[in-house]
Amino acid sequence: MEEVGSNSTLDPDCLVHQPPFSKVILQSLDLTGILLFAMLTLMTLTANLVFIEEVFYIYCKIPSSKRSIFIWINAAAPVIATTSCIGMWIPRSTMFTDFTAAVFFAIVIHKFLLMMVKECGGQTLFLRRFENDRFKISTGPCCCCCLCLPHIRINKRTLFLLKLGTFQFAFLRPVLMFLSIVLWTNGNYSLSDLSVSGAAIWISCIVAVLTVVALWPIGIMFQQVRVLLNCKRIIPKFALYQFILILTQLQSAIINILVMQRMIACVPPLPSSARGAYINQQLLIIEMFIITLISRVVYRKRYDDLELPLGSDQET
């Protein structure tokens, strides 16, 4: 034991920055811990069963042109819950489970933009519906205060730029996460090292910029179609997407800050960094379980019962 101050001691496990092996975690569990692990694992399995049932419903009730997009979006919460559950059971896999969840959700962001276009009847009908309108680009997350920005005309070029804004994130986020894992295996990447010479600060800043750039087209598109797609529950769908984004990005960032400020203490056999990830994973399992159940209600609607309003010169 190493002394800290005059009257306190520091457990040797707290001096180790590596997460413990899974067998160490299992051996340290008391009855409460066993019940907690069992409950969270059951919630993860239930979320996956609900998603599988939803996939069958999508294949039976939703047109084939929308099936893939709906499955990707509905899979976001179960996939994040599954990766969090694996990270909870095997703490040393956290880097890889976070990589998988981040890559998957980056693709979901792009799919959500495509879903809004599809719900308007596809790109051709979307351009016909809004050919006389303009996009309002003074929206979140980066330009909500810039009210002086002009409205831009809706055409193939602007729609392509919006799609490109989300696609760049779906492409570059996996590349950056792969680079992070490569540097981590070589000992050059650590979330606790935020010095200018460390790789974590630079990669985190680049990911933050790419995220803002990707969310901007989503906000622009949502402002344009939310009235038209109100009958297709676009507002609750957008709210669920926002909740997943906030919980996966902001929540983990807050917990990492608390770890670096030593507000989350080491509890053997978990060092403070591993305990922060441990807390985040358990919270995500509960949150994604709830979002999976809500998504089943929101997306479970016969789409042939929902007809969009058309003008006199438009036809489906």
Side-chain angles (χ1 to χ4, degrees):
M1 305 285 281
E2 180 180 335
E3 293 190 2
V4 179
S6 57
N7 298 320
S8 61
T9 57
L10 187 64
D11 193 287
D13 289 333
C14 295
L15 300 175
V16 180
H17 296 290
Q18 282 285 350
F21 290 104
S22 56
K23 64 178 181 180
V24 178
I25 290 290
L26 296 177
Q27 291 170 356
S28 67
L29 291 177
D30 55 9
L31 180 59
T32 304
I34 293 173
L35 292 176
L36 178 63
F37 266 57
M39 182 189 70
L40 294 175
T41 304
L42 180 61
M43 293 174 74
T44 303
L45 292 175
T46 304
N48 281 277
L49 291 175
V50 170
F51 168 68
I52 292 172
E53 190 269 341
E54 187 67 15
V55 169
F56 280 108
Y57 177 85
I58 289 172
Y59 267 96
C60 294
K61 304 298 183 180
I62 292 181
S64 58
S65 60
K66 300 177 182 179
R67 288 173 186 166
S68 174
I69 293 176
F70 275 57
I71 290 173
W72 271 95
I73 295 173
N74 277 273
V79 166
I80 295 172
T82 302
T83 56
S84 299
C85 186
I86 293 172
M88 180 184 69
W89 281 97
I90 310 174
R92 294 205 173 196
S93 69
T94 298
M95 190 72 180
F96 299 96
T97 56
D98 289 349
F99 167 79
T100 304
V103 169
F104 192 90
F105 191 66
I107 298 173
V108 168
I109 289 177
H110 180 60
K111 293 288 186 180
F112 194 86
L113 179 71
L114 298 181
M115 183 196 73
M116 289 191 284
V117 177
K118 279 285 186 182
E119 291 287 68
C120 292
Q123 178 172 317
T124 302
L125 191 54
F126 174 85
L127 293 173
R128 289 176 60 191
R129 290 179 188 277
F130 299 108
E131 60 184 353
N132 298 320
D133 296 341
R134 293 177 179 271
F135 282 127
K136 177 185 176 183
I137 62 175
S138 56
T139 183
C142 56
C143 295
C144 54
C145 298
C146 303
L147 301 179
C148 59
L149 290 176
H151 290 47
I152 59 175
R153 186 178 179 83
I154 299 176
N155 51 41
K156 287 185 178 181
R157 180 174 177 273
T158 53
L159 186 58
F160 171 77
L161 291 176
L162 292 180
K163 292 181 179 180
L164 184 63
T166 54
F167 179 78
Q168 56 83 22
F169 189 60
F171 175 75
L172 294 176
R173 182 70 185 274
V175 173
L176 290 172
M177 292 300 295
F178 176 76
L179 177 62
S180 300
I181 288 182
V182 171
L183 294 175
W184 173 72
T185 57
N186 197 46
N188 302 117
Y189 182 90
S190 174
L191 289 174
S192 60
D193 180 16
L194 296 180
S195 61
V196 178
S197 59
I201 185 66
W202 295 105
I203 293 178
S204 297
C205 290
I206 293 173
V207 169
V209 172
L210 295 179
T211 304
V212 170
V213 172
L215 296 180
W216 192 20
I218 298 286
I220 293 173
M221 181 64 71
F222 176 71
Q223 291 293 330
Q224 187 68 36
V225 303
R226 64 178 180 177
V227 175
L228 179 66
L229 298 183
N230 186 47
C231 61
K232 294 196 174 184
R233 300 181 177 178
I234 192 61
I235 294 177
K237 290 176 183 177
F238 183 77
L240 288 173
Y241 146 81
Q242 289 283 343
F243 279 132
I244 297 176
L245 176 68
I246 292 171
L247 293 172
T248 54
Q249 303 297 318
L250 186 59
Q251 178 176 279
S252 60
I254 291 173
I255 291 177
N256 286 333
I257 292 172
L258 294 177
V259 169
M260 288 185 290
Q261 296 296 322
R262 301 183 183 277
M263 298 181 69
I264 295 180
C266 164
V267 176
L270 291 170
S272 58
S273 58
R275 185 165 176 249
Y278 183 73
I279 293 171
N280 184 49
Q281 289 157 355
Q282 293 181 338
L283 289 175
L284 281 176
I285 291 172
I286 298 172
E287 293 156 354
M288 294 303 116
F289 171 74
I290 296 172
I291 288 177
T292 300
L293 298 181
I294 298 175
S295 295
R296 183 183 180 276
V297 176
V298 171
Y299 284 88
R300 202 172 184 83
K301 187 72 175 178
R302 286 294 297 269
Y303 272 62
D304 53 3
D305 295 334
L306 297 173
E307 297 294 336
L308 291 173
L310 293 172
S312 58
D313 60 338
Q314 296 173 333
E315 59 185 15
T316 56

